Amino acid sequence: MAPYCVLVSRLQQALSKGVRRYHASRVLCQRAKVAMSQFEPSEFVNYEKLEKNINIVRKRLDRPLTLSEKIVYGHLDDPAKQDIERGKTYLRLRPDRVAMQDATAQMAMLQFISSGLPRVAVPSTIHCDHLIEAQLGGEKDLRRAKDINQEVYNFLATAAAGVGFWKPGSGIIPNQIILENYSYPGVMLIGTDSHTPNGGGLGAICIGVGGADAVDVMAGIPWELKCPKVIGVKLTGSLSGWSSPKDVILKVAGILTVKGGTGAIIEYHGPGVDSISCTGRKMATICNMGAEIGATTSVFPYNSRMKTYLSKTGRAAIASLADEFQEHLKPDPGCPYDQLIEINLNELKPLINGPFTPDLAHTVEEVGAVAEKKGWPVDIRVGLIGSCTNSSYEDMGRSAAVAKQALAHGVKCKSQFTITPGSEQIRATIERDGYSKILRDVGGVVLANACGPCIGQWDRKDTKKGEKNTIVTSYNRNFTGRNDANPETHAFVTSPEIVTALSLAGTLKFNPEVDFLTGSDGKKFKLEPPDADELPKLEFDPGQDTYQHPPKDGSSQHVDVSPTSQRLQLLEPFDKWNGKDLEDMLILIKVKGKCTTDHISAAGPWLKFRGHLDNISNNLLIGAINIENDKANTVRNALTQEFGPVPDTARYYKKEGINWVVVGDENYGEGSSREHAALEPRHLGGRAIIVKSFARIHETNLKKQGLLPLTFADPADYDKIHPVDKLSIVGLKDFAPGKPLKCIIKHPNGSQETIVLNHTFNETQIEWFQAGSALNRMKELQKH
């Protein structure tokens, strides 16, 4: 017999339509509360509120809604009065939860402590995944990380009441940990990691933000987001052979480029969606790399594969509830998209993107010839699988299936080969099921459950800095120097199974679709396309318990930060705007070309200073190329005329009480969510960043710290500014939303030019600037 709620649903569908159906179903169908996660039994999934808000907005807009709109508008603070215009208005939202990784959590928690609030207002967690350096292998690297980062881990574990703590070795935050425990259809989660959108693989809206945004949500303040546009990606056909879901996002990246998704949510739909394997997880791979095209986030509609994954990870009750509300977890028929891309999965070939940018797409078939033509090294030094993008059970299984074929012919990897499990649960399960042994037998080294080489936490020994070489990874980013701090490392991103195949061959010139390997017996053999279970036949093995519950009462907690610590430093408020125009500012650097957050605030060895603003400021813009001399980390001091490191020059200007600006190119600040790339210029005396265009998260981070992110009204004006000029930004007394500012360029010969600078500040954000930062403004409001 059909469940009572289903019978009620059928009855009221026959009797009524539209909004009235909502009232009938919810009055007649009383249901038990369902916890958001096993770790927070008193925090419940609230689909009723989501539905109520969606119905209010649907009535106002009077049109079909995309899935993205349903979930985003379903979390509006005031759905009845909120102005809603895609790409223009700012939405005030109430996310359900916050997740932070250990590198960005340090500054987020230092800011939260500065707010003076006793505990967080929404469920929040910290995940220790960024501070573990890949060196010798999983267990040894984990022990070393716990030892050298003990001060930071102790701080994060006790920094605020109500914050759950995932210990080192738990796994990667936006990857398996969020998917296994916190992401579910319709939830809105923000995370201080740019790959938080991974959770969209389970039908969630998960958005990467800076720490100051996380503080707003943890403080119970509505969170602001510019109303996203929605780019639809219609999938038809089905994947086969060596093609994988990774190829879907590599294809989209090739179409949209690294900034084509800026200000938009990528919404996948169409009949091809149901063909994508590995419930939630492979869809998550696609959502994860949406960050590489600048997207606010990405999302898939709820389907049976997600239900299976939820049930397999102990959340069958959420799956049942999602079934009842599934009309709100899918796009409406005929909903409008701002842009529509169609991909026929039947025609999709295996892709490999790079080097130096994740949107430079090649087929695996052609990349070897392209590399030879371009002078890129074709011999592969290291193959690396894992990271938050591809480290699921199925990912490991497909790679093991390739490796098993090679072992059957007596073949091992010609390249070095590393494996990074996505979580302790994945590590334990692939160990139990034999995948780890196969991957070790073929020559692999299993690293700790952490980010590792993907974010530059790699103590690489096989090459010297400046040595030209090639690596292939299943990661998401391949910016210059990102993985190993070597600007001559040519990094390519592809699927785990292609990485494994290429590592066996040791060259980019190998195409597993047509080429042969030679076995130990001298006979040639061809690798068959891999196949693997998307979920384990047995239950997942949880492995070691790595979760620490937060204290229920934080009144007795006391956070100590030593004034002599080199890892942690309490924050001092930034100075308020003095009410005057910013006149005769020096140009710290005019950046040439791509400038990611890795260029602005490098990771790798600098991660250890993420909780100490003054120390980490010593890496400010050290990777950016100075247009004056085509060199990194060497700029002219306008006062001494000597060339020196960027941070030293900024400190000199600050000591002399002189304001400075940075001038940049397109998509400035793409990449990571790290707000240190905004905190550092503010700390060292910067006042404005003037560029052709910004990446979304970085622009917001700059605003939060009281800086002026401004864009050229005419991009050609970039060429009018020379590194030796002085700049004045005028009109700040009349600073208002939608009203451009003027910039007076003063050349050394005494001549002047005036150009127009645009901005995207709203009234609240202007108040941040005037108060000196968003945190300063929060404190002002608390006093009132």
Side-chain angles (χ1 to χ4, degrees):
M1 183 175 181
Y4 176 65
C5 288
V6 174
L7 292 174
V8 170
S9 177
R10 291 173 180 170
L11 175 62
Q12 41 90 9
Q13 283 182 40
L15 295 174
S16 62
K17 297 179 180 180
V19 176
R20 292 185 61 183
R21 183 172 64 201
Y22 157 73
H23 293 297
S25 66
R26 299 312 167 231
V27 170
L28 291 171
C29 187
Q30 299 296 319
R31 58 179 60 77
K33 292 182 177 180
V34 175
M36 292 171 66
S37 84
Q38 62 171 312
F39 304 106
E40 295 133 356
S42 60
E43 300 286 348
F44 303 108
V45 176
N46 195 347
Y47 282 150
E48 287 88 352
K49 182 179 179 181
L50 184 77
E51 183 176 58
K52 180 180 178 181
N53 286 2
I54 289 171
N55 285 331
I56 291 171
V57 173
R58 188 195 303 280
K59 185 175 181 180
R60 289 181 56 200
L61 298 183
D62 192 27
R63 63 168 173 79
L65 300 177
T66 66
L67 171 60
S68 308
E69 291 178 306
K70 288 181 179 182
I71 303 176
V72 172
Y73 303 162
H75 286 82
L76 286 169
D77 183 52
D78 188 353
K81 297 180 181 179
Q82 172 71 60
D83 289 334
I84 301 173
E85 186 175 358
R86 287 186 194 169
K88 294 190 177 179
T89 58
Y90 280 87
L91 306 178
R92 291 168 61 82
L93 300 165
R94 293 283 185 177
D96 297 301
R97 66 178 310 120
V98 174
M100 297 167 281
Q101 42 97 333
D102 49 354
T104 51
Q106 296 171 60
M107 200 58 68
M109 297 317 299
L110 287 166
Q111 291 177 85
F112 186 78
I113 290 169
S114 297
S115 75
L117 296 171
R119 65 178 295 116
V120 294
V122 301
S124 303
T125 51
I126 291 172
H127 306 256
C128 295
D129 62 356
H130 272 57
L131 299 179
I132 303 169
E133 184 181 50
Q135 191 177 68
L136 301 173
E139 292 185 9
K140 293 179 180 179
D141 292 346
L142 183 57
R143 284 198 299 270
R144 179 170 174 267
K146 288 179 178 179
D147 180 49
I148 64 178
N149 298 311
Q150 183 178 8
E151 178 186 11
V152 171
Y153 291 148
N154 289 344
F155 166 73
L156 293 175
T158 60
V163 180
F165 182 70
W166 287 87
K167 301 173 186 177
S170 301
I172 309 171
I173 165 179
N175 187 316
Q176 294 301 128
I177 296 295
I178 296 298
L179 282 171
E180 290 167 359
N181 300 284
Y182 300 120
S183 181
Y184 60 83
V187 73
M188 175 175 273
L189 178 152
I190 68 165
T192 62
D193 188 289
S194 58
H195 291 109
T196 300
N198 202 81
L202 271 178
I205 290 294
C206 300
I207 302 176
V209 300
D213 278 340
V215 171
D216 282 353
V217 178
M218 290 191 293
I221 297 171
W223 174 59
E224 284 198 342
L225 175 72
K226 181 174 277 191
C227 187
K229 294 182 178 181
V230 186
I231 297 175
V233 178
K234 183 178 180 180
L235 302 178
T236 59
S238 60
L239 294 167
S240 61
W242 284 90
S243 295
S244 75
K246 184 68 166 277
D247 299 310
V248 174
I249 185 57
L250 295 178
K251 178 72 172 180
V252 173
I255 294 170
L256 289 177
T257 77
V258 290
K259 68 172 186 174
T262 302
I265 294 176
I266 312 298
E267 184 171 309
Y268 294 87
H269 63 284
V273 166
D274 290 334
S275 77
I276 296 178
S277 63
C278 195
T279 310
R281 185 52 216 128
K282 283 296 187 181
M283 299 177 198
T285 292
I286 296 170
C287 292
N288 177 288
M289 271 196 70
E292 272 51 76
I293 54 176
T296 300
T297 191
S298 303
V299 68
F300 277 82
Y302 178 63
N303 64 10
S304 61
R305 291 182 180 275
M306 294 185 191
K307 180 178 181 178
T308 304
Y309 183 82
L310 287 166
S311 298
K312 197 73 171 179
T313 51
R315 294 173 289 170
I318 293 180
S320 296
L321 197 60
D323 279 345
E324 294 183 40
F325 284 86
Q326 62 182 292
E327 65 182 294
H328 303 302
L329 304 175
K330 299 177 180 179
D332 290 337
C335 62
Y337 293 104
D338 294 285
Q339 181 180 350
L340 184 62
I341 297 170
E342 295 193 35
I343 297 177
N344 184 344
L345 301 179
N346 292 331
E347 301 172 354
L348 194 61
K349 301 285 286 181
L351 296 171
I352 180 168
N353 288 22
F356 306 124
T357 184
D359 58 351
L360 184 57
H362 321 275
T363 63
V364 172
E365 179 183 21
E366 70 183 6
V367 69
V370 173
E372 286 188 322
K373 182 179 179 180
K374 298 282 188 180
W376 304 333
V378 294
D379 291 339
I380 298 168
R381 292 286 185 86
V382 191
L384 306 98
I385 64 171
S387 89
C388 65
T389 314
N390 284 107
S391 56
S392 68
Y393 183 81
E394 186 183 13
D395 288 325
M396 296 295 139
R398 287 173 69 87
S399 294
V402 175
K404 189 174 183 180
Q405 294 180 59
L407 288 171
H409 293 273
V411 172
K412 294 188 176 184
C413 290
K414 289 185 178 179
S415 308
Q416 293 182 47
F417 186 51
T418 71
I419 302 99
T420 305
S423 69
E424 170 61 11
Q425 179 165 277
I426 293 297
R427 183 208 62 78
T429 306
I430 66 172
E431 192 70 51
R432 179 197 69 192
D433 293 352
Y435 291 168
S436 294
K437 183 179 187 305
I438 292 170
L439 295 171
R440 282 194 293 264
D441 287 348
V442 85
V445 175
V446 179
L447 302 175
N449 314 322
C451 300
C454 183
I455 61 165
Q457 284 284 53
W458 185 15
D459 186 18
R460 189 177 180 189
K461 302 293 188 183
D462 65 292
T463 59
K464 296 179 181 179
K465 189 168 183 178
E467 183 180 349
K468 207 171 179 181
N469 73 100
T470 285
I471 64 174
V472 292
T473 82
S474 70
Y475 301 164
N476 39 53
R477 292 192 179 130
N478 55 353
F479 303 140
T480 302
R482 176 174 173 85
N483 302 120
D484 60 1
N486 181 2
E488 290 300 326
T489 293
H490 294 56
F492 295 82
V493 292
T494 185
S495 67
E497 49 266 48
I498 292 294
V499 171
T500 307
L502 294 178
S503 298
L504 289 166
T507 175
L508 289 176
K509 297 171 70 175
F510 179 73
N511 177 11
E513 291 185 299
V514 297
D515 293 333
F516 290 78
L517 295 172
T518 302
S520 58
D521 59 1
K523 296 181 180 179
K524 293 187 179 297
F525 69 97
K526 189 166 170 286
L527 295 169
E528 295 297 322
D531 189 27
D533 293 331
E534 55 182 287
L535 294 168
K537 289 183 172 65
L538 303 175
E539 295 302 312
F540 277 109
D541 183 340
Q544 300 178 36
D545 182 5
T546 55
Y547 180 73
Q548 177 178 309
H549 288 271
K552 294 182 179 180
D553 179 15
S555 60
S556 61
Q557 283 184 278
H558 180 68
V559 178
D560 283 320
V561 175
S562 170
T564 60
S565 172
Q566 295 300 302
R567 299 291 302 272
L568 298 167
Q569 181 187 47
L570 293 176
L571 298 175
E572 295 293 331
F574 291 131
D575 60 315
K576 296 179 63 172
W577 175 55
N578 63 9
K580 300 177 181 179
D581 288 335
L582 296 169
E583 297 183 344
D584 293 334
M585 294 184 290
L586 299 178
I587 297 171
L588 177 65
I589 183 174
K590 182 180 178 183
V591 178
K592 178 182 179 181
K594 185 186 284 284
C595 191
T596 72
T597 47
D598 282 284
H599 294 88
I600 303 167
S601 177
W606 291 95
L607 284 169
K608 61 178 173 286
F609 296 126
R610 285 283 180 87
H612 196 293
L613 180 54
D614 195 57
N615 280 346
I616 198 166
S617 293
N618 288 322
N619 76 0
L620 174 64
L621 287 159
I622 61 175
I625 301 301
N626 180 8
I627 199 169
E628 189 173 6
N629 55 16
D630 280 334
K631 294 181 180 180
N633 200 28
T634 174
V635 295
R636 183 195 301 271
N637 184 318
L639 302 181
T640 67
Q641 296 303 310
E642 296 177 354
F643 280 84
V646 181
D648 294 357
T649 306
R651 289 185 186 278
Y652 189 95
Y653 293 160
K654 181 181 180 180
K655 180 182 176 182
E656 297 298 321
I658 298 172
N659 295 327
W660 52 262
V661 303
V662 170
V663 178
D665 211 314
E666 296 279 6
N667 207 32
Y668 185 91
E670 70 172 278
S672 167
S673 66
R674 66 192 68 158
E675 65 179 337
H676 300 79
L679 282 160
E680 292 175 35
R682 184 71 165 99
H683 175 64
L684 295 186
R687 294 296 177 180
I689 312 293
I690 305 170
V691 301
K692 294 180 181 178
S693 64
F694 283 102
R696 175 190 63 86
I697 300 177
H698 187 59
E699 182 181 22
T700 300
N701 286 345
L702 291 168
K703 292 177 182 179
K704 287 277 186 177
Q705 304 307 333
L707 283 151
L708 289 172
L710 306 170
T711 57
F712 296 105
D714 180 357
D717 287 343
Y718 169 89
D719 296 319
K720 293 180 179 178
I721 297 175
H722 304 287
V724 292
D725 294 336
K726 291 183 180 180
L727 304 182
S728 296
I729 296 173
V730 298
L732 289 173
K733 291 181 180 179
D734 300 316
F735 195 12
K739 184 179 180 180
L741 296 169
K742 290 184 179 180
C743 176
I744 300 172
I745 307 169
K746 298 181 180 179
H747 302 299
N749 64 6
S751 64
Q752 295 186 5
E753 296 180 77
T754 300
I755 62 174
V756 177
L757 300 176
N758 292 331
H759 65 84
T760 60
F761 281 81
N762 61 21
E763 291 180 357
T764 299
Q765 293 167 348
I766 290 173
E767 290 175 355
W768 299 344
F769 167 73
Q770 293 169 340
S773 71
L775 187 58
N776 287 0
R777 181 58 181 157
M778 183 194 298
K779 291 180 180 178
E780 289 178 353
L781 293 174
Q782 287 175 357
K783 293 177 182 177
H784 298 136

